[in-house]
Amino acid sequence: MFRIRPVKKEDLEDLYDLSGLYTFINLPHDKELIESKINSSLRSFKQMSSDLSRDHYIFVLEDLEANRVIGCSMIHARHGDEHEPHFYLKVGQENKFSQTINTGFIHGTLKLGYDTDGPTEIGGLILDPSYRGNPNKLGKVLSFCRFMYMGLNPHRFKDTVHSELMPPFDADGKSPLWEAIGRRFLNMEYHDADILSRKNKEFILSLFPSGTIYETLLPIEARNAVGKVGLDTEPVKRMLESIGFKYTNEVDPFDGGPHYRCKLKDIKPVQTIQKAKIEQGSCNHPKLYLVMTNEENFEVICLKGELNNDILTVDNISQYKLDQGQDVTVMAI
Ligand SMILES: NC(=[NH2+])NCCC[C@H](N)C(=O)O
């Protein structure tokens, strides 16, 4: 059985192991840093701040049989404030026309923008690769548990939920947009700028081109990277689109990765959150649900069941340690 819950202090070792599997920018292989992230999450769950940009939430996915944390996902209650704005490139067009020679052009344009009252951002989803392809759709479970928590606690978040998707990188792992713009104006490696921008936003505003950037002047590889996602991210993009998220015509200023947004109340799974009673029985058309088994600590399990009005039929309730007639909150995934 798999369970989602807020991160605890005891998860440090498991998260540290997880962070060593790949290089994750949101979960660096650094024990002290992970510990401070855990502490920040503990504080946020316990008591939200008056300044939402201080609140970071980490959810972990446990394999209860293996007694191990196998994944995590995160929410930043507000990405972008007066001290650390949210930066983006606005993707636009400029139409030019000469009447005397009857010739016109439409130029793609990019312009740096920033937001000091940013939206809630979802990110930091990591699943141990050996659990990929599990019939319980664990990646989706890790992603959607955030929508369940936000849907049940909207006062802790902004009205709009924002997601920044990874762009394609070329064969050498380089970002074509970075090579064309960022490197020339900031004179550093993409990776270094990426890390630096987690703590420092000033250098972006001070050094990045502030006027209109004409895509026409960029190499074709850089133009092609604007608003595109990498192959691995294609399923994430399709999933977000299927639940109501839309491309904002804004992209990452460093790598061109697209930004997607949806109002919290319009996210499809959020609209399916309801109370239900558990009933043992056989299901004809079972579907996946997230079931909150502990309201106080936000403990959620995923199971296959069939929901009719407010009855959730599950064919083996004891396997999930559920009781006949138990009141739960459920969300379809
Ligand atoms: N890939 C990057 N680090 N891009 C620069 C930061 C962009 C991000 N939206 C921010 O404001 O923090």
Side-chain angles (χ1 to χ4, degrees), residues 61-86:
L61 175 64
E62 292 174 287
D63 177 343
L64 293 177
E65 269 94 75
N67 192 21
R68 194 161 72 79
V69 166
I70 55 160
C72 66
S73 61
M74 305 178 194
I75 310 173
H76 185 190
R78 182 169 74 150
H79 168 59
D81 60 18
E82 299 75 23
H83 306 290
E84 297 192 339
H86 155 60

Side-chain angles (χ1 to χ4, degrees), residues 155-278:
H155 59 287
R156 286 173 169 262
F157 302 99
K158 305 288 287 184
D159 292 343
T160 299
V161 181
H162 170 90
S163 175
E164 305 194 347
L165 298 187
M166 293 283 278
F169 292 94
D170 69 15
D172 313 324
K174 287 202 151 92
S175 153
L177 195 74
W178 177 260
E179 296 307 315
I181 305 175
R183 181 182 292 286
R184 295 175 185 188
F185 283 80
L186 281 72
N187 189 28
M188 55 177 103
E189 295 297 328
Y190 169 78
H191 184 70
D192 297 333
D194 195 20
I195 302 270
L196 185 60
S197 72
R198 306 277 146 161
K199 288 188 271 184
N200 175 351
K201 307 277 178 180
E202 177 276 331
F203 77 103
I204 304 179
L205 190 60
S206 302
L207 298 180
F208 216 81
S210 43
T212 298
I213 302 167
Y214 288 95
E215 284 191 36
T216 322
L217 298 173
L218 299 177
I220 185 76
E221 302 79 36
R223 257 188 275 170
N224 285 343
V226 173
K228 300 279 166 44
V229 298
L231 266 188
D232 291 349
T233 309
E234 204 49 64
V236 180
K237 175 183 137 179
R238 277 200 297 271
M239 184 278 286
L240 287 176
E241 285 172 341
S242 75
I243 60 171
F245 280 77
K246 293 204 164 59
Y247 174 46
T248 58
N249 283 307
E250 289 163 8
V251 302
D252 187 276
F254 292 179
D255 57 41
H259 294 172
Y260 274 74
R261 283 188 186 185
C262 189
K263 290 259 184 235
L264 175 56
K265 64 174 177 46
D266 294 336
I267 299 176
K268 282 187 187 151
V270 168
Q271 295 172 340
T272 72
I273 297 174
Q274 66 163 87
K275 299 262 186 220
K277 261 190 198 320
I278 297 290

Side-chain angles (χ1 to χ4, degrees), residues 41 44-45 55-59 73-75 77 149 156-157:
S41 173
S44 307
F45 274 105
D55 292 346
H56 297 263
Y57 299 84
I58 304 179
F59 301 86
S73 61
M74 305 178 194
I75 310 173
Y149 185 77
R156 286 173 169 262
F157 302 99

Side-chain angles (χ1 to χ4, degrees), residues 289-303:
Y289 289 93
L290 291 184
V291 176
M292 182 165 66
T293 52
N294 180 329
E295 304 229 343
E296 222 165 299
N297 293 328
F298 190 71
E299 284 175 13
V300 172
I301 57 172
C302 62
L303 51 74

